[in-house]
Amino acid sequence: MFATDPPDPTMASSAPAWPPVSFEDRMATVDFRVSSRAHITLDSSVCRGCPAKACIVACPANLFVPTSDGGMLFNYEQCFECGTCYMVCNGEGAISWSYPEGGHGVAFKRS
Amino acid sequence: MTESAASAETDFDIIVVGAGPAGSTAALVAARSGKSVCLIERGTFPGSKNMFGGVIYGRVLDSLIPNWWEQAPVQRWVTRRGTVVMTPTQSLTVDYRSAGWGEAPYNGATAFRPDFDAWLADHAVAAGATLVCSTTVTGVSRDSSGRFSVVSTDRPDGDLSARVVIACDGVNSFIAKDAGLYPHAGDTAHFTLGAKEVLALPREAIEDRFGLVGNEGADLEIIGCTGDIAGGGFIYTNLESIAVGVVLRLSDLAESEHRAEKLIAELKGHPMVAPLVRGAELLEYSAHLIPEGGYDAMPTLGAPGLIISGDAAAFCLGGGLWLEGVNFAIGGGQAAAEVACAGLDRGDDGIGKSMVDDYRSRLEDTFVLADHKKFRNAPGLVLSDRIQFRYPQLVCDLLEGVFRVENPEPKPGLIRLFFRTARKSGLKMRHILVDGWRSARTYG
Ligand SMILES: Cc1cc2nc3c(=O)[nH]c(=O)nc-3n(C[C@H](O)[C@H](O)[C@H](O)COP(=O)(O)OP(=O)(O)OC[C@H]3O[C@@H](n4cnc5c(N)ncnc54)[C@H](O)[C@@H]3O)c2cc1C
Ligand code: SF4
Ligand code: SF4
């Protein structure tokens, strides 16, 4: 579902000093105990009228995927529960945000 | 004692929400003073939802857990503290080392929050607190007298009651927001997103690359690595891994093209950083918000029956020279529990509005609010445009001018060099003087 990070032009001159990691592999380093209930839901009709779409770049888990008709696809499963999306979102009522039920969601081990 | 009568009416004397450093400390202190305490955590164990840079400054633990350093799950003791200013191709590091920081009682330690938070919660349990994990608090409501006392959870029949609720539910604190304690909850200029990679490296490689011996550790704080976003970067050494991350102001992130993980990748590719991280493999990627607004962005600290502490109350000190939240959470949690216990002993009057006033003045007397008040202008200064986007270039160019040898051209005098570099940077001398004065006043 996630594309491999494109090569970064600012580093073209030197070979990368670490193994490149695709976003999929990056998220595969994190444990999630996925709940059957979505703790975050989107009203894509609000997104259609949102010019900024700040959520796309701001979400550290890259979970907001714009659709060709101006809407937004969202999957809650690999979410850090950080709160960035509802903080940067200007679309009134676009995001319904809550924590997953107890014992579910992200589980850090070494952070 | 009104206390036992009250306990008969409620499930607990005190319910603490959130088993981070603030909550576990509050539960520990309250349980030790003989109160019945329930500590509720939504993760499967305390710390499983938490991440930070990071370094824990443990002095605040000395009185709570004597000789804590003999048992706390730490990675390395920080003996080297670097402050780095960089541009895409240059860097200047002020590198401070202290042999003393590598010996008891130590100054700061790197740690994993899932380890540290679980350890601190164990102390609360040992003191008699009841820890309930895998349980999300969904709301706190008032009783007929107008006091907050009913804690709802997502468990079946999951309502619990208490005489006092201490909310330590972290930076997003829905308890504080729902209680109306945050007048400007949505102000994205007061919050940053922290994202980091923990990267595996062999012990010897870490010790060689960072110039460390045994379990000494290094801490590098970086300005100038976050593109058009105000913020900073960091590198911390663990025992067999290093943490590399960035901290990004939300208001700028919302308008930027730069993604967090891309900025981390650029930081890792920087000529100063690349040799430190070469070959290191990603172990875990993580992200979390930080309340960095400081003193002037803090909420009201409670309401009858309710007090808030730690990140829930924005106690984290993020003044550029520091990023300290764990120690402020521990200090805040301790004060919250002490005030709540004293209030409970005084009966109904003790846990109303006066409890919140007592809490505030207790905090003003300790480092928690005293430091915040003293450095109330630091967040604004460090995240200001000139410090973030202009001075890194000016400082690096100035050093470049001092150290570059261009004979047979004669060397420029330092004063001339300074004026020349400043002119090139587009900064006005007036601004440099004003910022110098502001910095002296902010940190002085
Ligand atoms: C990237 C980054 C770097 C940092 N670096 C440092 C550093 O180097 N040094 C330092 O001292 N500080 C650092 N901090 C700040 C520090 O992590 C925080 O200030 C500190 O964790 C605050 O502690 P707390 O107990 O208030 O909140 P938290 O640690 O966030 O704990 C809150 C707890 O409440 C639980 N919870 C939340 N809501 C509910 C609910 N509804 N029901 C049940 N449980 C709930 C959570 O699961 C969590 O366990 C950093 C933070 C970040 C993000
Ligand atoms: S910022 Fe909010 S309204 Fe805009 S696209 Fe994202 S979620 Fe939708
Ligand atoms: S809470 Fe954080 S990780 Fe989850 S969707 Fe929102 S921004 Fe992304």
Side-chain angles (χ1 to χ4, degrees), chain A residues 45-94:
Chain A
S45 65
V46 180
C47 300
R48 260 186 276 277
C50 168
K53 295 194 168 42
C55 55
I56 302 175
V57 166
C59 170
N62 207 2
L63 296 177
F64 292 81
V65 181
T67 57
S68 53
D69 65 343
M72 195 62 73
L73 277 178
F74 177 78
N75 186 320
Y76 67 97
E77 292 180 11
Q78 292 190 313
C79 165
F80 289 126
E81 301 150 33
C82 68
T84 300
C85 51
Y86 81 80
M87 288 289 293
V88 302
C89 174
N90 289 321
E92 188 77 40

Side-chain angles (χ1 to χ4, degrees), chain B residues 85-229:
Chain B
V85 177
M86 65 168 55
T87 72
T89 57
Q90 304 158 296
S91 72
L92 167 73
T93 305
V94 178
D95 191 354
Y96 177 74
R97 303 187 73 124
S98 166
W101 287 357
E103 291 160 14
Y106 304 101
N107 180 52
T110 54
F112 294 143
R113 293 291 300 282
D115 299 346
F116 181 84
D117 290 12
W119 168 79
L120 194 55
D122 280 348
H123 277 274
V125 171
T130 303
L131 172 65
V132 181
C133 289
S134 298
T135 304
T136 300
V137 169
T138 52
V140 180
S141 44
R142 299 172 193 258
D143 60 20
S144 52
S145 73
R147 252 197 337 254
F148 282 95
S149 65
V150 182
V151 175
S152 307
T153 75
D154 62 353
R155 297 254 180 157
D157 302 318
D159 284 8
L160 291 169
S161 60
R163 302 264 292 145
V164 174
V165 179
I166 303 180
C168 303
D169 52 337
V171 57
N172 284 304
S173 185
F174 295 106
I175 297 176
K177 288 176 194 168
D178 289 349
L181 303 179
Y182 267 98
H184 310 291
D187 194 338
T188 49
H190 293 151
F191 294 86
T192 55
L193 169 66
K196 82 166 180 180
E197 294 183 357
V198 174
L199 301 151
L201 267 186
R203 266 190 94 138
E204 311 76 61
I206 293 174
E207 283 152 30
D208 290 350
R209 293 180 191 187
F210 290 86
L212 306 168
V213 178
N215 53 8
E216 288 179 346
D219 158 358
L220 302 177
E221 308 284 337
I222 306 163
I223 288 193
C225 62
T226 48
D228 56 352
I229 304 174

Side-chain angles (χ1 to χ4, degrees), chain B residues 159-439:
Chain B
D159 284 8
L160 291 169
S161 60
R163 302 264 292 145
V164 174
V165 179
I166 303 180
C168 303
D169 52 337
V171 57
N172 284 304
S173 185
F174 295 106
I175 297 176
K177 288 176 194 168
D178 289 349
L181 303 179
Y182 267 98
H184 310 291
D187 194 338
T188 49
H190 293 151
F191 294 86
T192 55
L193 169 66
K196 82 166 180 180
E197 294 183 357
V198 174
L199 301 151
L201 267 186
R203 266 190 94 138
E204 311 76 61
I206 293 174
E207 283 152 30
D208 290 350
R209 293 180 191 187
F210 290 86
L212 306 168
V213 178
N215 53 8
E216 288 179 346
D219 158 358
L220 302 177
E221 308 284 337
I222 306 163
I223 288 193
C225 62
T226 48
D228 56 352
I229 304 174
F234 57 78
I235 301 173
Y236 299 105
T237 56
N238 299 313
L239 202 56
E240 298 186 304
S241 63
I242 55 175
V244 181
V246 292
V247 168
L248 309 169
R249 181 161 67 180
L250 285 190
S251 47
D252 296 343
L253 179 64
E255 292 175 359
S256 176
E257 301 288 300
H258 287 100
R259 300 189 50 83
E261 81 281 358
K262 288 282 159 57
L263 288 167
I264 297 175
E266 276 172 32
L267 178 59
K268 290 196 300 180
H270 188 278
M272 176 226 157
V273 179
L276 299 175
V277 304
R278 184 179 300 117
E281 214 172 296
L282 183 61
L283 285 177
E284 189 165 85
Y285 174 56
S286 56
H288 202 284
L289 289 185
I290 314 173
E292 290 209 55
Y295 193 78
D296 296 311
M298 282 179 191
T300 309
L301 297 177
L306 174 70
I307 36 190
I308 59 173
S309 202
D311 275 10
F315 287 166
C316 185
L317 183 71
L321 290 178
W322 318 279
L323 179 48
E324 298 176 29
V326 173
N327 47 338
F328 280 77
I330 292 171
Q334 178 178 358
E338 286 167 357
V339 167
C341 291
L344 282 167
D345 291 342
R346 296 209 317 270
D348 279 357
D349 288 345
I351 54 176
K353 191 184 167 298
S354 68
M355 176 176 70
V356 184
D357 298 338
D358 291 349
Y359 179 45
R360 175 138 204 132
S361 46
R362 171 76 58 107
L363 289 169
E364 302 266 7
D365 290 343
T366 68
F367 74 98
V368 179
L369 282 191
D371 284 359
H372 265 291
K373 201 169 182 176
K374 198 182 313 156
F375 299 114
R376 67 197 297 171
N377 295 324
L381 179 68
V382 173
L383 295 180
S384 69
D385 283 359
R386 286 199 293 273
I387 300 268
Q388 285 283 323
F389 308 122
R390 296 299 195 90
Y391 287 117
Q393 188 73 55
L394 171 69
V395 168
C396 288
D397 284 350
L398 195 57
L399 270 286
E400 161 97 22
V402 173
F403 295 132
R404 191 176 52 213
V405 177
E406 287 196 292
N407 32 63
E409 282 285 303
K411 286 193 192 301
L414 289 190
I415 294 180
R416 221 185 93 213
L417 190 65
F418 178 74
F419 280 105
R420 200 208 288 161
T421 316
R423 205 171 327 114
K424 209 185 95 199
S425 74
L427 281 158
K428 299 240 161 31
M429 206 41 69
R430 175 166 47 93
H431 290 148
I432 295 175
L433 288 173
V434 166
D435 291 336
W437 173 241
R438 254 180 93 194
S439 305

